[in-house]
Amino acid sequence: MASVPVSHLILFIASLVIAAGVVGTITTGVDRVSAAVDDAGLDATEQLRTDVTIISDPSAGVYNASGDQNVTLLIKNTGTYRLAPDGSDLDVVFDGAYVRPDATSGELVSADGANAWSRGDVLRLTIDANRIDGSDGLADGDHRVFLSVNGDEELFQFRVEGGN
């Protein structure tokens, strides 16, 4: 008779151990899902707050204006998210080719010595055309610059005529 309560006690203890393991596993899974939801929320907020607009005039000579075979664009931060003051947050694609960050440089023109590119500030982005094309300047014809930052995308098209 004593063997029945002992076997019940062993089964009860085993079920408690299994239940604790299941609860621990579920708790860990719920914590991971919760952290992922928090991260996704922060990313979505960042994307919603980010907005830039290219304000350069394509017919105003964005290429070779300084004689250095550079493409110079003026970009205004129209969102509420603060970006890097040198434009390093921007991903640039020129005529379908990704532009490495070392082929671009940015400078705030509307806020001297600012630590961030804030709402309403204008960035002068200079793209070294020699490092994109691999030749001595851009060929005549139509060109496209695609910018992306935190999910916000802008497209700028311009034409290079002979004599630049």
Side-chain angles (χ1 to χ4, degrees):
M1 286 269 221
S3 65
V4 172
V6 172
S7 65
H8 285 282
L9 184 61
I10 291 173
L11 288 173
F12 178 71
I13 292 172
S15 64
L16 285 179
V17 169
I18 291 172
V22 169
V23 167
T25 302
I26 290 174
T27 303
T28 302
V30 168
D31 287 345
R32 287 182 182 167
V33 169
S34 176
V37 168
D38 287 345
D39 290 346
L42 291 175
D43 289 345
T45 300
E46 196 174 280
Q47 286 179 354
L48 289 172
R49 294 179 53 208
T50 303
D51 189 28
V52 296
T53 304
I54 300 173
I55 59 174
S56 293
D57 181 4
S59 62
V62 296
Y63 173 65
N64 202 19
S66 63
D68 296 331
Q69 275 83 33
N70 290 333
V71 175
T72 304
L73 301 176
L74 296 176
I75 308 163
K76 185 174 187 175
N77 185 349
T78 54
T80 59
Y81 192 73
R82 294 167 55 119
L83 301 167
D86 59 355
S88 60
D89 291 333
L90 295 169
D91 290 323
V92 181
V93 177
F94 192 93
D95 287 343
Y98 177 74
V99 179
R100 293 186 326 270
D102 61 349
T104 64
S105 63
E107 172 188 13
L108 285 177
V109 294
S110 63
D112 293 332
N115 293 330
W117 179 16
S118 300
R119 181 183 185 104
D121 291 341
V122 176
L123 177 84
R124 180 184 299 122
L125 181 70
T126 304
I127 304 168
D128 186 350
N130 290 325
R131 297 182 80 181
I132 298 167
D133 198 39
S135 64
D136 198 20
L138 293 180
D140 289 350
D142 295 327
H143 298 278
R144 299 164 54 109
V145 178
F146 179 79
L147 301 176
S148 176
V149 57
N150 289 342
D152 182 50
E153 301 170 343
E154 292 292 316
L155 176 65
F156 183 77
Q157 300 179 48
F158 66 98
R159 183 169 187 78
V160 173
E161 302 284 336
N164 281 323

